[in-house]
Structure formats: C-alpha cells, structure tokens
Amino acid sequence: MEEHKKLMEEGFLGQRMIVLTPNIRKEIKSNPLINTLYLTAIGHYPHAVGHECERPRGAGEFIFLYCTDGEGRIEMNGEEYVLRANNFFIIPKNIAHRYYSSEKAPWSIYWLHFSGTNSRMIYERFLIEGEHQVQAIPFEGYRIKSFDQIFTTLDRSFSSRDMEIMNFRVLYFITSFIYYKEINPMVYSVDMVSNSIAYMKMNLDKKKSVKDLADQQNLSVSHYLRSFKAKTGQPPTTYFNQLKVQQSCQYLYFTDKNIKEICTLLGIDDQYYFSRLFTKLIGTSPSAYRKTYKR
C-alpha cells in the first residue's frame, strides 16, 4: 500500500491525509474516463492549531479548501481572504499563496488538490464575475459523507476501477459546492433572473417583450438585459423562445395537436416562424420530430 500512497503526519489530532504518488497519477492521467478532473491529494485537519502552509511558487494543482469550524486566512495576489465555518475557496494553480489557521479559533478544514484537462474550467465556475471570493454555503452532512467515501476508496484500493469511482466522487464533491444554488433552486432561486425565468414558465402561452419582462421585475430594460445575459449567457427573448420550443416538444410527443394549435398554446401567431425557430433549436422540423419520437 505504501508504494501507492503517501501518508503525512503534521501533528493534528484526528488528521487524515493521502497524497497520490506519481505512478498512480500517471495511470489516472492515461484514463480518458477520469483524466478531465482528478484528485492528487486529500486531507482533513480538525482543530488545526498552528497549521500554516506557504508556497512561494504556488502549487501545480488547484487547491480546494472547506472550513467547517473556526477560521483561518488565505493570502494571495496581495489580498487576504478570511475563511470561516461553512466557507469554501479554491486557490488557482501556479499562484504564490499562504494560508494559516487562526490562533484564537483554529480552523477545521477539508481540503483536496485536483488537476486535469477540465480543472481550470471547474475553477473558473467558482469565480464570481471573474473575481475570487470566499463563498458561504449551508452545512449539509452529505458533503462530509461524500468526502469520507473518497478517502475510504483511496485507503482501500488503487485499482483502475476504484480510481474511476473515486474521481467520479471528487467531481461530484467539488461541484456540489460550486453549483449549490443551482442544485437547490427552490431554496436559493431568489434573484431577479431566477424569478424572471419562473415568470416566463408561467406565461408560455403569452407574448412578452423585453420591456414586459423588465417591468415585471421593476428594472430598466438595460439593467434587466445586462443582468439576465450575465447569468444565462443569452438574451431573455432567446431564453423565452427556448422555453416555448421545449414546451412544444411535450405537445408534439404527448398530444395529437397540430402545429397551429400548438402555436396558439404558445402565444405564437406565425406557425412558419415557429417551425423555423423549432428547426434552428432542435435540429429538425416539428413534423419530423413528432414522427421520430411520438409514441
């Protein structure tokens, strides 16, 4: 077992830590199922009194830190970030940094290092408008359980199959933080864009201009357009039309309504416009879609 992993002692009662050795990393990097994002090191430091780590040249991997108790600080790019209970942060690769536990309230942290061809994209999803920010997240026990499953798998075996299972769980673990609002929309969807999308879904049978949608949110058209596109990557009218087309797929699949009837249900006057829109978004005409997919 020792040839496959490296366990380190740093003096924290109850600590756990595993660093994958180069030969295991090489095997993972050659596996196309998991080489897009994979773990290189993992650990848990409870009540880490005196914990400090400084890397003048940065690390060769991204570093994920999740604090569950106490607090600590991260220094990077001339900025200081305070990590408290139920906060997480990702340190980018190859950036000089230092992080350390508070003397008065030592942190308890779960951490891992990750790499892979998609690792930078995952890290960029963590950023808020391109900027680093400590992010708060409600404590949920399943994340700790997920972490424990990753660690247990590593402690058990380094077979190809176990490495696949472990790294699938790593991706799930990290993204459960980054996408926590999207994963729990009923809890976190209180922003303007989410409210507007909900309004669109309730009004698929109507025509709504950008001004109508902006007015519904009590915003200027320019502010509404900017905010909506920043979050979804699309103008609101494009998004609204996509919702209509998605709903039309349900009508084509589950009912015998003709195109004109479906257009009426979607608040669209011109069935030829609808057909062009449908074909552009779905890649086939409404009639061809119905013929292919209808039960």
Side-chain angles (χ1 to χ4, degrees), residues 5-71:
K5 69 181 180 182
K6 184 179 179 184
L7 294 171
M8 294 186 174
E9 298 297 330
E10 296 193 2
F12 309 121
L13 183 63
Q15 75 169 37
R16 295 177 291 166
M17 179 177 181
I18 297 176
V19 178
L20 297 187
T21 53
N23 58 316
I24 293 299
R25 296 189 196 188
K26 185 177 179 180
E27 289 179 17
I28 292 172
K29 288 173 70 175
S30 67
N31 186 335
L33 268 179
I34 52 177
N35 62 12
T36 55
L37 189 138
Y38 58 88
L39 178 142
T40 61
I42 186 171
H44 173 219
Y45 294 165
H47 195 65
V49 178
H51 177 226
E52 180 178 355
C53 182
E54 183 171 9
R55 298 184 179 91
R57 297 184 179 181
E61 306 90 19
F62 294 92
I63 302 172
F64 173 91
L65 299 172
Y66 172 45
C67 179
T68 55
D69 189 37
E71 70 175 56

Side-chain angles (χ1 to χ4, degrees), residues 146-161:
S146 179
F147 180 95
D148 289 341
Q149 289 174 331
I150 293 167
F151 201 96
T152 299
T153 302
L154 279 172
D155 219 17
R156 178 185 66 203
S157 166
F158 289 88
S159 69
S160 295
R161 201 168 182 87

Side-chain angles (χ1 to χ4, degrees), residues 6 61 106 111 123 128 132 136 145 150 153 168 201-202 205 207 215 218 242 249 275 291:
K6 184 179 179 184
E61 306 90 19
W111 60 266
Y123 153 74
I128 297 177
H132 294 95
K145 183 178 180 180
I150 293 167
T153 302
F168 293 152
K201 290 179 178 179
M202 291 188 295
D205 60 334
K207 296 178 185 177
D215 287 346
N218 296 314
Q242 286 184 341
C249 290
S275 293
K291 184 176 180 181

Side-chain angles (χ1 to χ4, degrees), residues 200-217:
M200 290 178 185
K201 290 179 178 179
M202 291 188 295
N203 291 275
L204 291 177
D205 60 334
K206 300 179 180 68
K207 296 178 185 177
K208 294 292 178 182
S209 67
V210 173
K211 188 177 186 309
D212 293 332
L213 296 170
D215 287 346
Q216 194 270 333
Q217 293 297 314

Side-chain angles (χ1 to χ4, degrees), residues 109-124:
I109 57 169
Y110 291 84
W111 60 266
L112 55 82
H113 293 207
F114 65 94
S115 190
T117 54
N118 286 345
S119 58
R120 179 159 293 278
M121 287 192 290
I122 291 294
Y123 153 74
E124 288 173 352

